Amino acid sequence: MTAPALEARGLVKRFPGVTALDGVDLVCRAGRVHALLGENGAGKSTLVKILTGNQPPDEGELRIGGTAVRLHDPRAALAHGVSAVYQELTVLPELSVLDNVMLGQEVSRRGLLSRDRQRDTARAALRRAGLGDLDPRTRAGTLSAAAQQLVEIARALVRGSRVLLLDEPSALLSGEGLSALHAVVRELAADGVAIIYITHRLEEVRALADDVTVLRDGRLVSTGPADAYPIDRIVREMVGRDVDAVFPELAEPGAEEVLSVRGLLPAGPGAAGPGLDLTVRAGEIVGVAGLLGSGRSRLLRTLAGVQPRAAGTVTVGGSPVRASLHAAVRAGVVLVPEERKTEGLVLDLPVRANTTLSSIGAVSPGGWLSAARERAAFEAERDRFGIRVSGPEQPTGQLSGGNQQKIVLAKWLRTRPRVLLLDEPTRGIDIGAKAEIYRIVAGLAAEGLAVVFASSELPEVTGLAHRVLVCQGGRVAGELTGDQINEERIMHLALGTSREAS
Amino acid sequence: MTAVTAPAGAAPARERLAAALSAAARTGLAAWAIVALLVAVLTVADPGGFWTAANIANVLTATVVLGLVALGQHLVVLTGGIDLSVGSTATLSALLTAMLIDGYPIRTIPTILAMLLLGAAIGVVHGLIVANTRIPAFVVTLSTFYLIQGIAFMISTTPSGQVTRALADVGMRRFGPFPLALAVLAAAVAIVAVLLHRTRFGRHVHAVGGDAAAARSAGVPVNRTLVLVFVIAGTLAAAAGVMLAARATIGSPNAGQGLELSAITVVVVGGASLLGGRASLAGTLGGVALLALVESSFTLLQLPATASDLIRGVVILAAAALFVPRSHRE
């Protein structure tokens, strides 16, 4: 048997106070898709950083094609044929798509860029990545996040690497984008590339993977051919215990109408047509589904007063709410945003400050911020939600995604809202923490909160909602309740292929 | 995805105006539009004075020194940095040019080359510090701004030296409305334009300023790019110093004072983002033309020169308010 395309043995990486990787092995063979699985904080990101030369390991050995290597920077990794599509977008918004695809691998002759060859190479790569229709001169910043992700994949294609790491490449994709991605991955594997595929969507493992490696708490749990990994085994090994029910029982909603929306139309390009009518009762959880760009987020952002309305009224408990964030918060409508790290939290602030950010008056008697009250407030929320932190002074950016999300929730709940809006509440959060977030949301609804959440994950929409709205092309295409809620019907409505579309 | 990326046909007029303004700033059209407006105003205000060959040559001469430092600043700002030392570098270069030549024709060429090398060396120091430490370019070049000016004062506190006739000619001769010195700026513009838009280095400059971490992980040699950018900025500042000496025929320890702020003004008015990654060369050149016009029209219209700073402040704020592209989100 030939040497593996990539072989890591006994990798150890320590950070102050935590061992991120503790003797992890990983063996990837040419032509195979290797799914790397684990909760957030299991060590996947650290492993990616080591394999791509962004961070040196403290101990351990790395072999590429049988030769021991040291990757001291990303250029060294690229030179050894290891490239990556990172979880965070690394598309440069001010450069054209072409320049982004060719970045770091520009073709030049006698010092000048060779325009024709650059364009041809980029075009070919874009076509393989499923962006054949895109004009390479388009400024990358004008593309949707999903399209930008595909641009990154095109960039990796141009490199012709032997080992390709894909760190949650599908997180932003759905529908066509996802199929294009899967087709590209299979094609690359057929060409003999070793692919390391990181994902939180476990159904992808079955669709794509040849081998599976599961990490937990920085350690290797198990590795083997994908056939030996049914979904429940993966979940058990990732979480370290059986998760029998990810979704909690939902309590019956009350009778009181809390949120009432009439003819709501978000402002912006293409604002036209009939607006949205929606009534949410106390204790009711409404899920909003739809493909990327269908207007899910825009709907929630408009309700929260973050985006202006073109038309329509919003009333909470019978009183109208003006279209501003301030008015919405005062009326008890709060939004847990999709962009947790930029819109939900100030990452450099300690956790206690983020917890009280929106209700700072409550811990400032006489206008003076009381450190003791702030700490007490934080500790109360920590205990209520089981937030795992080293202390009230820990910078929020150091927390895992799940714990960060709990801080955002706590921050808004301290303002005593009546309507809780959640945009992609579990994006980038591992399964264990997801279940906790679901339990928290169900509990809040049982206490009488009206909840509206948008999600691109169908199991989440079907599992957590009393009622589901499906958006398509900026409008609400249909509403499903009770037994009608299933993934198939939602997809039909989302794609506009349903006869029951209203 | 087409639904997300396609521009909407029925956007309200206000949004379209904002988009047009931001596009104008992005492409550098905005600065030129103001230049055209100002030219129209000056034509009306003083038709006999403005369009004379001598006055046009005056305006164009004013663009040369400013343009040279602005080109360097343009590159540095594109990487997300700033170079506060270009005025001091120009001063030192002007002073040394005059003192080292001291009237001997044979020394002219070697002295100029030595000055360009000096500027490049200053740039290497800046680049290495900025690339290899976490000290921001602002702080690094603020310190060298004082250091280099201090060295100039140690060499001489009074104007001294003497350039040769030939060099003075480059600084002052004109053919009709075209000063000879404009050729120096034209050459520099051509070189920078090709570097920026037709080479790998140019792409890397844009990438480093857009997101250094992303550029690094894409295999862009970030440190090398930064060093090279500061080297070019230093060299251009030194060239500006040589032109200052040529125009004054002597070297003054105050020759380049304030040039760093003028250069930043020009780049900002040209629509560049001080955060890096976005700047248009046409815009920066428009900014150079604008500032040169403003400065030279004070004498033309016999306005008090003391009002110059007021006008500058107003121009910067107006340009920023009008043309700073607003970020749109879906």
Side-chain angles (χ1 to χ4, degrees):
Chain A
M1 200 175 216
T2 53
L6 181 140
E7 184 177 9
R9 292 284 172 204
L11 291 182
V12 175
K13 180 74 189 174
R14 296 183 198 92
F15 293 110
V18 55
T19 303
L21 278 186
D22 194 359
V24 166
D25 301 339
L26 182 69
V27 180
C28 304
R29 298 195 175 274
R32 292 176 78 86
V33 179
H34 197 127
L36 181 60
L37 306 171
E39 293 191 321
N40 282 356
K44 303 187 304 281
S45 304
T46 310
L47 186 54
V48 168
K49 283 183 184 147
I50 290 174
L51 298 181
T52 53
N54 280 293
Q55 263 172 9
D58 293 328
E59 288 170 33
E61 182 183 48
L62 208 56
R63 288 175 177 276
I64 293 172
T67 322
V69 293
R70 268 180 202 289
L71 307 176
H72 40 80
D73 71 3
R75 282 169 69 78
L78 293 170
H80 280 105
V82 179
S83 66
V85 172
Y86 296 92
Q87 190 179 0
E88 290 86 23
L89 287 174
T90 60
V91 163
L92 292 152
E94 292 292 337
L95 291 187
S96 68
V97 168
L98 188 148
D99 290 342
N100 264 295
V101 171
M102 302 303 294
L103 187 65
Q105 47 199 337
E106 295 87 354
V107 188
S108 54
R109 274 192 59 208
R110 282 190 241 110
L112 295 185
L113 291 175
S114 158
R115 285 184 182 169
D116 294 346
R117 284 185 54 197
Q118 288 241 102
R119 196 184 47 231
D120 295 346
T121 314
R123 276 241 173 90
L126 286 168
R127 204 164 347 170
R128 280 177 77 189
L131 289 174
D133 300 337
L134 189 64
D135 183 346
R137 288 167 303 180
T138 315
R139 203 162 54 80
T142 62
L143 301 182
S144 67
Q148 291 188 19
Q149 185 83 64
L150 293 173
V151 167
E152 296 215 27
I153 288 164
R155 183 193 288 166
L157 290 178
V158 175
R159 295 193 191 283
S161 313
R162 285 187 288 168
V163 179
L164 178 61
L165 281 105
L166 299 165
D167 192 356
E168 289 200 51
S170 57
L172 298 166
L173 300 179
S174 54
E176 274 176 50
L178 193 63
S179 344
L181 170 68
H182 285 185
V184 169
V185 171
R186 286 195 198 97
E187 193 186 326
L188 283 171
D191 288 349
V193 177
I195 290 167
I196 301 174
Y197 197 98
I198 297 178
T199 181
H200 277 130
R201 295 181 170 182
L202 298 186
E203 71 269 18
E204 284 194 307
V205 177
R206 210 168 357 167
L208 277 180
D210 301 305
D211 301 299
V212 168
T213 289
V214 183
L215 300 183
R216 185 174 71 236
D217 300 330
R219 291 199 181 81
L220 177 71
V221 179
S222 71
T223 183
D227 304 340
Y229 283 84
I231 295 235
D232 55 346
R233 177 180 173 196
I234 298 175
V235 173
R236 194 170 59 238
E237 294 197 346
M238 277 170 65
V239 183
R241 60 190 149 87
D242 277 302
V243 177
D244 16 40
V246 177
F247 294 102
E249 283 289 309
L250 297 183
E252 274 302 304
E256 185 203 355
E257 290 186 358
V258 177
L259 176 72
S260 170
V261 178
R262 292 286 165 265
L264 182 73
L265 205 55
L276 166 79
D277 293 333
L278 172 68
T279 306
V280 187
R281 289 176 288 163
E284 192 178 23
I285 305 179
V286 176
V288 183
L291 302 178
L292 207 69
S294 62
R296 282 186 326 238
S297 293
R298 189 143 50 128
L299 178 63
L300 287 196
R301 297 176 68 86
T302 310
L303 278 177
V306 180
Q307 278 199 331
R309 311 173 192 154
T313 57
V314 175
T315 55
V316 173
S319 14
V321 184
R322 280 187 306 112
S324 85
L325 177 65
H326 194 69
V329 171
R330 225 172 14 187
V333 181
V334 298
L335 170 68
V336 175
E338 180 177 8
E339 299 294 335
R340 181 163 59 235
K341 294 182 179 197
T342 53
E343 295 178 5
L345 295 165
V346 186
L347 291 181
D348 289 335
L349 283 182
V351 284
R352 60 163 167 76
N354 267 304
T355 308
T356 60
L357 200 58
S358 300
S359 55
I360 199 139
V363 291
S364 308
W368 296 94
L369 181 61
S370 152
R373 287 199 194 194
E374 185 173 63
R375 203 170 313 119
F378 164 72
E379 275 158 9
E381 301 298 339
R382 180 194 61 196
D383 298 343
R384 178 179 177 196
F385 292 120
I387 302 170
R388 282 182 289 277
V389 291
S390 64
E393 300 303 324
Q394 188 175 18
T396 313
Q398 291 179 359
L399 302 190
S400 70
N403 283 308
Q404 286 184 359
Q405 190 71 313
K406 288 181 192 171
I407 301 264
V408 182
L409 270 169
K411 174 188 81 172
W412 281 125
L413 291 171
R414 289 186 55 75
T415 66
R416 300 176 190 285
R418 306 188 63 192
V419 179
L420 178 63
L421 309 172
L422 305 132
D423 196 358
E424 297 287 352
T426 63
R427 179 169 154 197
I429 291 178
D430 57 65
I431 287 194
K434 268 182 182 176
E436 279 187 77
I437 299 278
Y438 297 146
R439 193 178 43 74
I440 290 170
V441 170
L444 291 168
E447 289 168 23
L449 220 60
V451 179
V452 183
F453 75 95
S455 175
S456 55
E457 295 185 30
L458 289 183
E460 192 164 295
V461 178
T462 53
L464 190 62
H466 291 106
R467 192 148 58 95
V468 175
L469 299 181
V470 186
C471 288
Q472 191 233 332
R475 305 185 305 111
V476 173
E479 182 176 330
L480 303 170
T481 48
D483 295 341
Q484 296 176 314
I485 301 175
N486 63 52
E487 298 193 10
E488 200 179 331
R489 288 179 97 140
I490 294 174
M491 275 319 283
H492 275 304
L493 284 169
L495 293 166
T497 55
S498 167
R499 257 168 272 126
E500 57 198 318
S502 52
Chain B
M1 246 148 309
T2 44
V4 190
T5 53
R14 230 181 72 190
E15 269 180 41
R16 256 180 305 179
L17 180 68
L21 280 179
S22 103
R26 217 178 261 292
T27 55
L29 201 68
W32 285 105
I34 307 178
V35 168
L37 189 72
L38 204 58
V39 167
V41 169
L42 287 168
T43 308
V44 173
D46 189 355
F50 180 74
W51 284 108
T52 58
N55 184 59
I56 298 298
N58 236 346
V59 175
L60 291 178
T61 304
T63 63
V64 175
V65 168
L66 181 60
L68 289 173
V69 288
L71 282 175
Q73 196 70 262
H74 180 88
L75 285 168
V76 176
V77 165
L78 256 180
T79 64
I82 200 159
D83 190 342
L84 295 175
S85 73
V86 288
S88 297
T89 304
T91 300
L92 184 64
S93 154
L95 184 65
L96 286 177
T97 300
M99 288 180 71
L100 292 178
I101 293 177
D102 207 20
Y104 293 98
I106 186 103
R107 296 189 189 166
T108 306
I109 300 288
T111 303
I112 293 175
L113 289 179
M115 288 306 107
L116 298 183
L117 273 178
L118 173 72
I122 292 173
V124 168
V125 173
H126 286 153
L128 286 177
I129 298 179
V130 170
N132 292 305
T133 69
R134 289 175 152 266
I135 309 175
F138 186 98
V139 176
V140 173
T141 58
L142 182 65
S143 102
T144 53
F145 160 79
Y146 284 114
L147 279 172
I148 299 169
Q149 180 67 62
I151 292 171
F153 277 135
M154 278 169 65
I155 294 170
S156 171
T157 51
T158 52
S160 32
Q162 175 70 49
V163 303
T164 51
R165 186 72 233 151
L167 187 53
D169 263 1
V170 175
M172 292 187 289
R173 196 127 153 235
R174 66 178 169 94
F175 305 97
F178 296 107
L180 182 55
L182 196 61
V184 176
L185 179 60
V189 169
I191 293 170
V192 169
V194 168
L195 275 178
L196 267 183
H197 299 295
R198 293 300 306 277
T199 66
R200 298 177 66 127
F201 166 71
R203 292 295 138 85
H204 292 171
V205 170
H206 284 93
V208 167
D211 184 339
R216 185 170 278 126
S217 62
V220 171
V222 174
N223 289 5
R224 196 197 308 162
T225 305
L226 281 172
V227 172
L228 209 50
V229 158
F230 277 100
V231 165
I232 296 172
T235 311
L236 285 169
V242 172
M243 295 310 293
L244 280 170
R247 218 163 62 192
T249 70
I250 54 166
S252 153
N254 304 313
Q257 239 166 33
L259 265 182
E260 59 288 324
L261 292 183
S262 297
I264 294 164
T265 305
V266 159
V267 173
V268 169
V269 169
S273 158
L274 286 179
L275 301 175
R278 178 172 53 75
S280 115
L281 196 55
T284 295
L285 293 177
V288 169
L290 181 61
L291 212 61
L293 260 181
V294 169
E295 308 279 297
S296 60
S297 47
F298 276 96
T299 29
L300 182 70
L301 300 177
Q302 291 169 345
L303 296 171
T306 41
S308 158
D309 283 349
L310 290 179
I311 300 286
R312 239 186 231 220
V314 171
V315 166
I316 296 178
L317 199 59
L322 259 178
F323 298 120
V324 166
R326 281 140 242 240
S327 56
H328 288 281
R329 65 173 7 270
E330 238 317 271

